[in-house]
């Protein structure tokens, strides 16, 4: 293998930049030319492909976002555009691809590499931590730390005013940021898309808190939970408990930015090296995964077809600790 390309696609995640750096520098180490594709699959279609050398990835190790930009590319769903993308890669002599992103990115990679003879190695990069086959994804640690720090600040004012706060965190289909933060901030309840019927449980908890005259509390809500998010939930609470003074805080895209934590930088470095070494060893259509603290390759197929489950232990422990 003489030339490889790296791209980032889907929602950006802190850790993508140090991962690009690791891919480019590992390629250089093995005498492989590295290329960067701007705007994910869109850049493959538009031939927005640049040569990347070691010095081009200086100064990005501590930066959030992605120097290669990102996009959710609709055109890549169509065969004629994937053909164009392949022709562009071929024209550059690119023989292998590292795709950093989430399940949408991997679905695209799967289809692309089954149509054209080009090996792809995926690196799980999404704040949601919702990729099957890996214990953790790039960006999850930074995003959950960002959310936790914001909630800690909210708790100060919540306590001062004896108010019940609903803090909405990201996670359209996945509740892991909410769960982790719920545990980390001592939330009275956590609402996630994967668990239904949580409101009845909350009612009981609020009754208990009311009896103890404790109104200040934090509820962590994943944006995609069943009732429709923090605003809707606060209306339901106000109706049932008019004595509670509630406030809503939606953290939003701040969770996707910021300097990656040491955990995410280390993960990015290790996964980036492993991806290039995998391509070099002739692997194809695999995802670099962290399983029980060990880097492994798992078939992209698994990441695409299986659903990542939330850890039931975390849910159980939240129930114990929120009483
Ligand atoms: O990347 C994952 C994610 O941040 C989800 O948690 C969130 O629901 C979604 O992306 C938001 O996407 P967009 O930035 O396209 O609005």
């Amino acid at each position: 293998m003489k030339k490889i390309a790296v791209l980032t696609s889907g929602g950006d995640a802190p850790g993508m930049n140090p991962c690009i750096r690791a891919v480019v520098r590992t390629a250089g180490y093995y005498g492989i030319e590295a290329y960067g594709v701007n705007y994910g699959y869109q850049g493959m279609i538009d031939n927005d492909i640049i040569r990347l050398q070691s010095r081009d990835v200086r100064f990005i190790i501590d930066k959030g976002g992605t120097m290669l930009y990102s996009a959710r590319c609709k055109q890549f769903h169509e065969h004629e555009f994937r053909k164009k993308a392949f022709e562009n890669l071929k024209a550059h002599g690119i023989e292998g691809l590292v795709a950093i992103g989430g399940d949408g990115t991997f679905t695209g990679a799967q289809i692309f590499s089954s149509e054209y003879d080009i090996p792809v190695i995926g690196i799980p990069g999404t704040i949601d931590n919702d990729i099957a086959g890996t214990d953790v994804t790039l960006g999850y640690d930074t995003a959950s730390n960002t959310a936790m720090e914001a909630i800690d600040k909210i708790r100060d004012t919540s306590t001062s005013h004896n108010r019940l706060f609903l803090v909405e965190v990201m996670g359209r289909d996945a509740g892991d940021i909410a769960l982790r933060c719920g545990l980390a901030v001592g939330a009275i309840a956590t609402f996630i898309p994967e668990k239904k019927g949580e409101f009845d449980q909350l009612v009981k908890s609020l009754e208990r808190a009311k009896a103890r005259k404790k109104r200040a509390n934090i509820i962590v809500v994943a944006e995609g939970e069943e009732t429709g998010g923090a605003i809707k939930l606060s209306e339901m609470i106000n109706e049932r408990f008019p004595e509670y003074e509630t406030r809503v805080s939606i953290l939003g895209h701040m969770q996707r930015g910021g300097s990656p934590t040491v955990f995410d930088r280390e993960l990015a470095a290790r996964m980036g090296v492993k991806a290039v070494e995998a391509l070099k060893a002739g692997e194809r259509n695999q995802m670099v995964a962290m399983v029980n603290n060990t880097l492994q390759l798992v078939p992209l197929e698994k990441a695409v077809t299986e659903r990542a489950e939330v850890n039931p232990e975390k849910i159980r422990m939240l129930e114990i600790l929120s009483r």
Side-chain angles (χ1 to χ4, degrees), residues 85-156:
F86 177 67
E87 281 160 5
N88 287 331
L89 289 186
K90 232 174 96 184
H92 286 277
I94 292 164
E95 299 160 300
L97 196 61
V98 176
I100 310 170
D103 52 356
T105 306
F106 296 160
T107 305
Q110 271 278 96
I111 299 169
F112 187 61
S113 70
S114 67
E115 284 173 343
Y116 302 100
D117 189 25
I118 182 149
V120 184
I121 301 293
I123 295 182
T126 164
I127 63 165
D128 287 345
N129 201 31
D130 62 345
I131 307 290
T134 182
D135 295 344
V136 69
T137 60
L138 275 185
Y140 166 62
D141 187 63
T142 307
S144 39
N145 270 293
T146 300
M148 181 195 72
E149 282 165 21
I151 300 170
D152 281 345
K153 289 175 181 151
I154 288 168
R155 197 193 310 94
D156 291 344

Side-chain angles (χ1 to χ4, degrees), residues 212-226:
R212 297 199 313 266
K213 296 194 168 34
K214 184 180 185 310
R215 302 224 176 101
N217 258 312
I218 301 286
I219 300 171
V220 181
V221 185
E223 60 177 311
E225 61 78 39
E226 68 169 345

Side-chain angles (χ1 to χ4, degrees), residues 128 169-171 173-180 190-194 222 310:
D128 287 345
V169 299
M170 273 190 152
D173 307 307
D176 218 351
I177 295 179
L179 268 187
R180 193 180 199 198
T190 303
F191 286 75
I192 58 171
E194 297 90 337
V310 286

